[in-house]
Amino acid sequence: MEIITDIPSLRLRLKSEHYVVFVPTMGNLHEGHLSLIQIAKQKSGCLVSSIFVNRLQFGQTSDFDQYPRTLKEDLKSLEKNGVDVVFAPTEEDIYPVHQEFIIEPPPLANILEGEFRPRFFSGVATLVLKLFNLVQPQLAIFGKKDYQQLCIMREMTRQLNLSIEIGEGETVRASDGLALSSRNRFLNKEERAEAVCLFQVLSKIKLEIEAGNKNFEKLQNDARETLISRGWDVDYIALRQRNTLAPAQVNNGALVVLGAAKLGETRLIDNLEISAEI
Ligand code: PAF
């Protein structure tokens, strides 16, 4: 595995590659990331992963500073999982001057996560577009855990005519169902035991709808109430159409239920696709 930290070396290394598969990350890798690497590995080509904590997508600098940096362990996992090239640039490499050209994502970026994390998707899209320009992949893989991010990446490649296929990976869960996330490490023992409740309320909505319940409003409210009564601070529990993430209505077709809530100081997100065509 080659570890490359500067842009000229990256460009030189990838110049002669015909098929590049790319998995961008912010490091602090867990099984969720590694499952994306596994998907990428199934394609024959050069497998590139990046590790870069992107200041542009953090609201407060303290969040940015607190983000766990575990480069040594991350490099070991990437090597074990068969990555060919890791791009781990410094902040000066990616943002040598104040980044003034900023991607303005569509209104899709202002709902759900965007409502609670203003400018978040603008920061993600700006960085990912820069990484796409540097790595020039044919295929890039994103996890469904960040469902809205995946939708925005698809829309970005479509609207900006990038000839990059966007692949997706299923959310990886702990044995009790909690979605793996770098933030789980901030949960204390009691919070970790409680954290699965977000998955449980979303699962209940999924099962109810798949069994024919069409009272979307009540299902969302009940889930919200359950979490609040257990001490969560709920940002949203939202039943949406897949892809557009517009509010779900009966006869909308494929749906997804998404949730975001804080347990103590830790904000968790999760989502489940609903199988039944409504
Ligand atoms: O999903 C993430 O880890 C980040 O948002 C990404 C796509 C690597 C951009 O910083």
Side-chain angles (χ1 to χ4, degrees):
M1 184 176 83
E2 285 169 70
I3 301 160
I4 297 180
T5 54
D6 69 285
I7 290 174
S9 310
L10 181 78
R11 288 202 195 276
L12 190 68
R13 169 62 184 81
L14 298 180
K15 210 163 113 188
S16 53
E17 293 292 347
H18 297 297
Y19 192 83
V20 173
V21 188
F22 180 43
V23 182
T25 81
M26 295 207 298
N28 195 232
L29 305 179
H30 51 65
E31 288 302 317
H33 298 103
L34 299 178
S35 75
L36 303 181
I37 300 285
Q38 288 309 319
I39 292 170
K41 195 72 203 154
Q42 285 161 18
K43 304 277 172 180
S44 54
C46 178
L47 172 45
V48 180
S49 186
S50 62
I51 298 177
F52 181 69
V53 185
N54 176 29
R55 190 186 286 276
L56 283 195
Q57 70 190 74
F58 286 84
Q60 307 150 348
T61 36
S62 62
D63 271 0
F64 173 77
D65 293 337
Q66 267 171 28
Y67 193 88
R69 274 112 171 139
T70 51
L71 186 63
K72 221 169 131 197
E73 292 87 336
D74 293 344
L75 292 175
K76 266 193 220 151
S77 324
L78 293 177
E79 170 131 56
K80 221 160 72 202
N81 282 271
V83 168
D84 298 306
V85 176
V86 178
F87 181 47
T90 63
E91 192 151 347
E92 290 68 40
D93 286 301
I94 296 296
Y95 300 124
V97 293
H98 178 59
Q99 184 73 30
E100 293 172 321
F101 280 95
I102 297 287
I103 293 288
E104 185 65 46
L108 168 61
N110 301 331
I111 57 171
L112 302 168
E113 283 305 286
E115 199 182 322
F116 294 90
R117 304 173 75 186
R119 311 301 299 155
F120 171 68
F121 288 117
S122 172
V124 171
T126 304
L127 187 260
V128 172
L129 184 61
K130 283 169 75 93
L131 291 175
F132 281 177
N133 287 332
L134 294 170
V135 175
Q136 303 200 359
Q138 274 62 47
L139 170 66
I141 318 271
F142 294 85
K144 281 195 195 175
K145 162 80 173 25
D146 295 299
Y147 202 88
Q148 191 174 4
Q149 171 172 278
L150 173 63
C151 297
I152 291 169
M153 292 299 103
R154 287 197 197 292
E155 205 48 32
M156 180 171 85
T157 52
R158 198 169 72 90
Q159 290 194 22
L160 296 181
N161 306 98
L162 307 178
S163 58
I164 300 171
E165 185 191 342
I166 301 294
E168 60 187 35
E170 295 300 327
T171 301
V172 178
R173 298 181 181 282
S175 55
D176 63 350
L178 175 69
L180 298 193
S181 161
S182 303
R183 292 178 180 218
N184 293 353
R185 63 157 56 196
F186 298 125
L187 299 167
N188 65 31
K189 203 163 161 242
E190 291 74 38
E191 289 168 343
R192 171 59 192 87
E194 173 61 24
V196 69
C197 196
L198 179 60
F199 166 69
Q200 287 169 344
V201 298
L202 296 179
S203 300
K204 181 153 189 271
I205 294 180
K206 173 179 159 70
L207 290 174
E208 287 279 342
I209 294 178
E210 288 174 353
N213 188 335
K214 292 191 167 54
N215 196 343
F216 297 168
E217 209 50 47
K218 182 169 184 330
L219 287 169
Q220 293 169 91
N221 285 339
D222 287 353
R224 173 183 277 274
E225 289 307 319
T226 302
L227 289 175
I228 292 170
S229 70
R230 299 177 66 97
W232 293 68
D233 188 0
V234 181
D235 284 348
Y236 59 83
I237 297 288
L239 197 52
R240 297 294 164 113
Q241 299 170 45
R242 292 192 206 173
N243 304 323
T244 63
L245 301 184
Q249 280 154 11
V250 176
N251 299 327
N252 264 161
L255 302 179
V256 55
V257 60
L258 308 103
K262 257 174 104 176
L263 194 54
E265 289 303 304
T266 311
R267 187 172 181 277
L268 300 176
I269 62 169
D270 200 354
N271 67 81
L272 290 171
E273 286 180 330
I274 289 162
S275 313
E277 287 280 319
I278 306 306

